[in-house]
Amino acid sequence: MKVKEICCIGAGYVGGPTMSVIALKCPKIRVTVVDVNKEKIKAWNGPLDKLPIFEPGLSEVVKETRGRNLFFSNDIQKAIQKSEMIFMAVNTPTKTKGEGAGMAADLRHIISCTKDIAKYSKTNKIIIEKSTLPVRTAEKIKEILNSEGGDLKHEVLSNPEFMAEGTAIKDLFKSDRVLIGGDSTITGQKAMKKLIKIYINWIPKEKIITSNIWSSELSKLASNAMLAQRISSINSLSALCEKTGANIKDISLAVGMDKRIGPHFLKASVGFGGSCFQKDILNLVYLSNYYGLKEVAEYWHQVVKLNDYQKKRFSDNIIKNLDGSISNKTITILGWSFKPNTNDTRESPAIYVGINLLKKGAILKIYDPLVKKAQIIQDLNNLIKLDSDLKVKSSELISKVNVCLDIDSAINKTDAISIITDWADFKQIKWENIRKNKIPVFHILNNSNHNVYPDIN
Ligand code: NAI
């Protein structure tokens, strides 16, 4: 029997786009995306140009499917009861309290929606881990279902999401692979087949791979760790370039042309950001330590430490190049989202650079094509709250922040410009005028001392 009704708990950066694409590609399946956040659901049901997240191509998909076979709702109980298949795409941030704080994944939301499924279900469900989870989380989920779910027999599968923000729709249309992990029992295999039947509507068969549930859970952590490791590797070399006169762009090109290495993820930057890389690696470090693998834990921890070093190095370099003092100097930050084509600012390097500069007395002008003032101020305030060494009041720091509505006002009357996110919009800037006016520009990709002009071609 084909699945006719599915739901997804969590209407965020993963739940929204993935379910929109499933609804588009499987018009006979009714897809309901639910969330505890009322504002978010209201926005998903609102105007297409104001959806709660921005992804190129997303509004077109939502336009075609919303109200046809795609629905957004706060009625979690009803969605669980009606669905045969339930995806869990809730957030799994780093724990801030209790055992493993600062390292382990916080599974509060996963536990809470598992409990909801146990409580509301009246029929057997196929429950799918879409969130990124520590290896062996399915065991915990099953324990909760067994103890709180009565006599029902639910199946748990792992189907991690590999899409990247900024290209989510493109990635979902043409996934490199779809990974499904499940039990080797007859019911486990049946459940996996039902999920395969959904993806087979648009993903070539050879790209749908299956494994046991633990491999599937760990593959996602491994994949993010390897991607982040490449960024930290090239960033570590950018520091060496600055000491030796080598150019990191030349290094990336030369290294990436080796087929065994490949050209992707070899662009030096101010560091990786986003909600996933750091938390997933910290989780991997925690798990490695938990299993007594100290050397493995240390190896991966270094990827995050190097990323912190890179963000600090970038702001230190700005200060050094402005004669060692930036007190009351105006510095422009171009780009606030953690990468182009998204409005997501979680863990964006811009926040860390911004705070470092503010702490040294700078006045900031900030511009991002998508991120609004309220979000920028909230990001800065959140980081300020965590800074126990801070000697000045947060309001004093924030009073030096000017969020600009257009590029021109951001780059006029400034002492220096730093480009943090590579938005295509910044290529339109008349860099030759900036050069004429002798305004230093800091951009990690350019060259050794950062104080050169962007390669606008
Ligand atoms: P998000 O924070 O954008 O969305 C999560 C949503 O879940 C929120 O809207 C929240 O209100 C909702 N939620 C939390 N607990 C709930 C509950 N008990 N009932 C109903 N709704 C609840 O998070 P995002 O970015 O979508 O990530 C979700 C998961 O997917 C995480 O585990 C993440 O690591 C993983 N992931 C994220 C990717 C990304 O690019 N953002 C890519 C691949 C995986």
Side-chain angles (χ1 to χ4, degrees), residues 167-229:
T167 51
I169 298 299
K170 206 169 105 210
D171 296 346
L172 289 164
F173 279 177
K174 277 192 170 217
S175 305
D176 290 343
R177 77 303 207 185
V178 165
L179 173 60
I180 299 172
D183 283 343
S184 56
T185 55
I186 294 173
T187 50
Q189 295 297 306
K190 262 191 184 167
M192 283 166 89
K193 275 196 187 128
K194 285 194 172 177
L195 186 53
I196 291 172
K197 274 197 177 148
I198 292 182
Y199 284 113
I200 209 82
N201 284 300
W202 78 100
I203 303 289
K205 205 163 109 202
E206 63 280 7
K207 289 197 172 177
I208 304 177
I209 52 175
T210 56
S211 72
N212 76 26
I213 207 156
W214 318 131
S215 303
S216 176
E217 288 174 335
L218 189 54
S219 292
K220 174 63 194 179
L221 288 185
S223 181
N224 272 357
M226 303 276 272
L227 289 169
Q229 179 218 43

Side-chain angles (χ1 to χ4, degrees), residues 432-456:
E432 60 279 11
N433 294 347
I434 310 272
R435 187 198 299 265
K436 259 189 239 147
N437 293 331
K438 295 198 165 43
I439 297 170
V441 176
F442 301 90
H443 187 220
I444 206 92
L445 273 180
N446 278 299
N447 212 328
S448 48
N449 66 3
H450 293 257
N451 191 0
V452 287
Y453 292 82
D455 174 2
I456 47 175

Side-chain angles (χ1 to χ4, degrees), residues 299-348:
Y299 174 77
W300 288 111
H301 205 176
Q302 199 55 36
V303 172
V304 174
K305 287 184 189 169
L306 201 289
N307 198 50
D308 291 339
Y309 163 77
Q310 184 78 345
K311 291 182 278 192
K312 178 151 188 324
R313 208 168 67 78
F314 185 79
S315 36
D316 286 351
N317 261 343
I318 296 180
I319 300 166
K320 200 171 88 196
N321 278 280
L322 294 178
D323 304 326
S325 169
I326 54 168
S327 184
N328 287 324
K329 286 185 183 160
T330 302
I331 300 176
T332 297
I333 291 185
L334 291 181
W336 194 258
S337 58
F338 83 94
K339 65 179 198 181
N341 295 323
T342 175
N343 59 346
D344 194 352
T345 64
R346 292 177 289 182
E347 294 297 333
S348 175

Side-chain angles (χ1 to χ4, degrees), residues 9-16 34-37 40 53 76 88-93 108-110 112-113 116 130-133 160-165 220 224 275-276 279-280 338 344 346:
I9 309 179
Y13 283 88
V14 168
V34 288
D35 204 292
V36 279
N37 187 326
K40 204 174 262 189
I53 66 170
I76 298 174
M88 296 196 284
V90 293
N91 39 330
T92 49
R108 239 174 335 143
H109 304 299
I110 278 288
S112 146
C113 56
D116 280 347
K130 201 48 146 164
S131 298
T132 303
L133 298 169
E161 185 48 62
F162 293 103
M163 57 149 245
E165 283 178 32
K220 174 63 194 179
N224 272 357
S275 67
C276 294
K279 81 155 168 80
D280 291 347
F338 83 94
D344 194 352
R346 292 177 289 182

Side-chain angles (χ1 to χ4, degrees), residues 217-397:
E217 288 174 335
L218 189 54
S219 292
K220 174 63 194 179
L221 288 185
S223 181
N224 272 357
M226 303 276 272
L227 289 169
Q229 179 218 43
R230 274 174 81 102
I231 299 178
S232 279
S233 296
I234 202 72
N235 284 344
S236 74
L237 292 168
S238 74
L240 194 56
C241 283
E242 286 165 27
K243 294 285 182 202
T244 57
N247 186 324
I248 195 62
K249 265 176 122 175
D250 299 337
I251 308 292
S252 298
L253 180 69
V255 170
M257 282 176 78
D258 185 326
K259 277 202 202 76
R260 294 166 302 175
I261 298 172
H264 302 294
F265 267 66
L266 282 184
K267 200 169 168 190
S269 64
V270 189
F272 56 76
S275 67
C276 294
F277 283 177
Q278 177 168 305
K279 81 155 168 80
D280 291 347
I281 296 179
L282 291 175
N283 186 3
L284 196 61
V285 173
Y286 179 80
L287 283 167
S288 305
N289 272 326
Y290 175 84
Y291 287 104
L293 306 170
K294 197 167 141 271
E295 285 76 7
V296 179
E298 272 172 17
Y299 174 77
W300 288 111
H301 205 176
Q302 199 55 36
V303 172
V304 174
K305 287 184 189 169
L306 201 289
N307 198 50
D308 291 339
Y309 163 77
Q310 184 78 345
K311 291 182 278 192
K312 178 151 188 324
R313 208 168 67 78
F314 185 79
S315 36
D316 286 351
N317 261 343
I318 296 180
I319 300 166
K320 200 171 88 196
N321 278 280
L322 294 178
D323 304 326
S325 169
I326 54 168
S327 184
N328 287 324
K329 286 185 183 160
T330 302
I331 300 176
T332 297
I333 291 185
L334 291 181
W336 194 258
S337 58
F338 83 94
K339 65 179 198 181
N341 295 323
T342 175
N343 59 346
D344 194 352
T345 64
R346 292 177 289 182
E347 294 297 333
S348 175
I351 312 170
Y352 293 85
V353 172
I355 291 288
N356 285 347
L357 298 176
L358 283 172
K359 276 163 68 177
K360 297 284 180 194
I363 298 162
L364 295 186
K365 279 185 164 193
I366 301 171
Y367 172 75
D368 186 281
L370 276 187
V371 185
K372 302 268 182 314
K373 180 176 176 178
Q375 183 65 51
I376 293 174
I377 302 297
Q378 189 187 323
D379 290 338
L380 288 167
N381 271 323
N382 287 347
L383 198 57
I384 290 169
K385 263 189 231 147
L386 297 176
D387 195 333
S388 49
D389 300 334
L390 200 65
K391 303 279 183 299
V392 289
K393 278 191 186 160
S394 60
S395 55
E396 214 173 293
L397 290 186

